[in-house]
Amino acid sequence: MRNIIITGGAGFIGSHVVRLFVNKYPDYHIINVDKLTYAGNLANLKDIEDKPNYTFVKADICDFETIMGIFRKHNVDGVIHLAAESHVDRSIKDPFTFAQTNVMGTLSMLQAAKLYWESLPEKWEGKRFYHISTDEVYGALEMTDPEGIEPPFTTKASSGKHHLAYGSKFFTEDLKYQPHSPYSAAKASSDHFVRAFHDTYGMPTIVTNCSNNYGPYQFPEKLIPLFINNIRHRKPLPVYGKGENVRDWLFVEDHARAIDLIFHKGTIAETYNIGGFNEWKNIDIIKVVINTVDRILGRKEGEDMDLITYVTDRAGHDMRYAIDSTKLQKELGWEPSLQFEEGIEKTVRWYLDNQAWMDNITSGEYEKYYESMYANR
Ligand code: NAD
Ligand code: TYD
């Protein structure tokens, strides 16, 4: 029996990790600790909420005493820490909340784990604190090419497969941190605290930095679900700047599989970058999404292209993210299971088939947020 806290389990990625662990490991007790902020939604976990090996605890990770109580009550021996404020645009408006949750909340989790595990006779033996972070801590990559070829050019991933790249550099685990947004600065700070707990106290920690995720249950303030919903309702699609920024997209279930693998087989104190060698310019991905939604809804493919609306760029907008996941692929044999075309088809279908899930979020409070966010763009 293992008792594992998953923080942020009611959010987008967390709900996929909780589902995977609850279903795959009936002999583990999964304790989902989530504050249920605007981004947390228990509807994401309807299918597993009655499983005997699952417990939900509504709690703020910053509330150290409560977190300590959860460790003691459930004899916790593993943590997969995902709870965070996660949206860059919100961090630009309200950096304090990001420092509070992402930095102080992570510190509170670390300190509770430390005090509880140090109090046990076996101490660190069999324990693991796994911190989920982002590639955004590395800053932004240039759009350059090795030999004067106009990007995108084709390069080879560790698997030997060819892929498109918009520059010659990639995020590797040894790069120095250069976060630009309040979100990534707060995540970078939390990563440093996790490593400090290993280096100072010997806590068995692991950190992973993943690229942009997409898939079911993502809160519709993020590019892909926001745009799917707007296309459906024929609302404008606010493209920041020229839409030239590049992101490296990974299907969320592939991230959850990587988390499972690394939690069980990853080397203590190591960092692993997770990504699928799948770079896209925003404008290109937006066109794929428009075509896919139109086709599935029986509209003429591409007829909603005129919804594209170029708006003021995001402040400090990072140009390009691209992960090199060679280390993870070589050491632990992980590979993404889905081609992007399959992943985006699955994702668009899921949002269109689950309109009630979307409507529940987009009515009420969200509408006010959305209006205030986009009013002055
Ligand atoms: P999300 O915003 O969808 O979910 C965050 C969850 O954390 C929500 O359920 C929320 O209620 C909970 N939470 C927030 N503050 C809390 C607090 N103080 N106490 C307890 N719970 C709290 O985020 P996501 O996209 O699922 O991201 C999860 C993690 O993965 C984050 O740490 C994020 O930095 C990281 N990450 C995300 C991506 C991505 O593309 N979404 C990529 C790489 C890494
Ligand atoms: P987002 O989903 O917010 O993820 P992140 O900022 O963590 O990469 O945004 C993905 C990209 O899409 C990013 O370059 C910003 C851009 N974007 C838009 O152009 N319009 C939008 O309405 C949103 C939400 C994002």
Side-chain angles (χ1 to χ4, degrees), residues 128-334:
R128 185 155 289 203
F129 191 107
Y130 177 4
H131 176 63
I132 307 299
S133 192
T134 166
D135 60 353
E136 304 191 23
V137 297
Y138 296 119
L141 293 164
E142 302 253 325
M143 309 269 265
T144 55
D145 65 272
E147 284 144 9
I149 316 159
E150 270 298 295
F153 55 89
T154 308
T155 184
K156 249 188 193 176
S158 55
S159 58
K161 287 183 197 140
H162 287 277
H163 65 101
L164 285 189
Y166 285 89
S168 55
K169 296 227 166 66
F170 298 87
F171 292 143
T172 47
E173 288 83 358
D174 55 351
L175 273 193
K176 88 170 188 209
Y177 276 26
Q178 283 189 301
H180 296 135
S181 71
Y183 163 64
S184 54
K187 288 297 290 187
S189 171
S190 66
D191 296 9
H192 289 316
F193 268 107
V194 174
R195 294 193 180 101
F197 267 63
H198 171 268
D199 297 351
T200 308
Y201 310 111
M203 181 182 279
T205 60
I206 294 191
V207 177
T208 57
N209 299 82
C210 189
S211 61
N212 286 61
N213 284 214
Y214 71 98
Y217 300 111
Q218 187 168 29
F219 194 85
E221 63 188 349
K222 304 277 169 69
L223 181 77
I224 292 184
L226 172 70
F227 278 32
I228 294 172
N229 195 44
N230 282 10
I231 298 163
R232 183 189 177 111
H233 295 292
R234 295 215 153 99
K235 286 190 189 162
L237 307 175
V239 180
Y240 299 167
K242 294 186 181 143
E244 298 274 299
N245 303 64
V246 170
R247 296 291 182 266
D248 183 357
W249 294 92
L250 182 68
F251 190 63
V252 62
E253 288 176 11
D254 278 327
H255 188 189
R257 280 178 41 249
I259 290 173
D260 175 21
L261 183 65
I262 294 163
F263 181 74
H264 291 97
K265 304 256 170 67
T267 306
I268 296 300
E270 286 293 324
T271 294
Y272 298 90
N273 284 352
I274 310 173
F277 293 103
N278 183 38
E279 291 179 53
W280 285 79
K281 274 190 182 180
N282 289 342
I283 191 65
D284 293 334
I285 217 169
I286 289 163
K287 287 177 183 165
V288 172
V289 172
I290 294 173
N291 282 331
T292 312
V293 175
D294 283 348
R295 176 169 44 75
I296 295 174
L297 289 180
R299 298 177 186 169
K300 190 164 158 277
E301 236 177 80
E303 82 170 81
D304 287 312
M305 289 293 171
D306 59 357
L307 295 176
I308 292 177
T309 310
Y310 291 95
V311 297
T312 314
D313 208 354
R314 173 187 280 172
H317 196 173
D318 285 336
M319 199 59 215
R320 171 174 170 253
Y321 301 147
I323 281 271
D324 181 347
S325 53
T326 302
K327 176 174 169 180
L328 177 60
Q329 300 198 351
K330 286 216 165 116
E331 280 185 21
L332 299 180
W334 174 87

